[in-house]
Amino acid sequence: SGINAEYGDHSWRLWDLTKPSEILHQEGHSAPVYSVSFHRDGSLLATGGLDSYCRVWDLRTGRAILFLEGHLKSVLSCDFSMDGYHLATGSEDNSCKIWDLRQHKSIYNIPAHSNMVTYCKFAGTSTNSMLLTASYDKTAKVWSHKGWMPLKNLTGHDNKVMCVDCSWEKKYIVTASYDRTFKLWSSKGFTG
């Protein structure tokens, strides 16, 4: 299956890539959908919208099962944790929120950056997790799992950092920027 967020019509679509055919076409945001993330088991999908909300959808029924409200501006990124019980959202309000999906509420509000958070991503394992964030402030940051405290500030780009990811074994972190570069960072010493 594939996913497609439709920028102009406030909806998202789920595609079967083997046919290809559309399986679901859902609306639920009052502004364009900007980000999507599959749950690790494939049963849920999170959508982040320019309406400042995040929704969690049950892909078996096609219905929204959670409405996550709390950001002051657009939600630009969302990602499920490795254990599937938490969701991270990054926003134009410069913050990253960690949501407990069992409690249906935000449990951490991380004042992550001095400008909008363009990307957030869980990395590691369910028992040894870290969070990565990228921002228009030209930095990416690495956060520890316990209390989501900052471990490392990755500086060196000359423009907005749009994306960040970690290799599966947590050996490297990569950032991509509007300065037309990507940087590969060794995560040695700050991966927990």
Side-chain angles (χ1 to χ4, degrees), residues 64-114:
I65 57 171
L66 287 176
F67 178 75
L68 304 175
E69 179 179 16
H71 281 293
L72 302 175
K73 294 184 178 179
S74 300
V75 175
L76 303 178
S77 182
C78 55
D79 191 43
F80 283 100
S81 64
M82 302 300 161
D83 64 12
Y85 297 127
H86 299 93
L87 184 76
T89 53
S91 171
E92 281 186 6
D93 64 13
N94 308 349
S95 75
C96 182
K97 290 186 180 294
I98 307 295
W99 305 85
D100 186 313
L101 299 177
R102 295 168 293 187
Q103 296 180 33
H104 302 190
K105 68 178 186 178
S106 172
I107 56 172
Y108 290 101
N109 182 38
I110 305 167
H113 291 271
S114 61

Side-chain angles (χ1 to χ4, degrees), residues 43-67:
S43 66
L44 302 175
L45 178 83
T47 56
L50 299 186
D51 56 5
S52 78
Y53 304 119
C54 185
R55 290 183 181 268
V56 177
W57 304 80
D58 185 330
L59 293 178
R60 296 163 293 203
T61 64
R63 295 185 180 196
I65 57 171
L66 287 176
F67 178 75

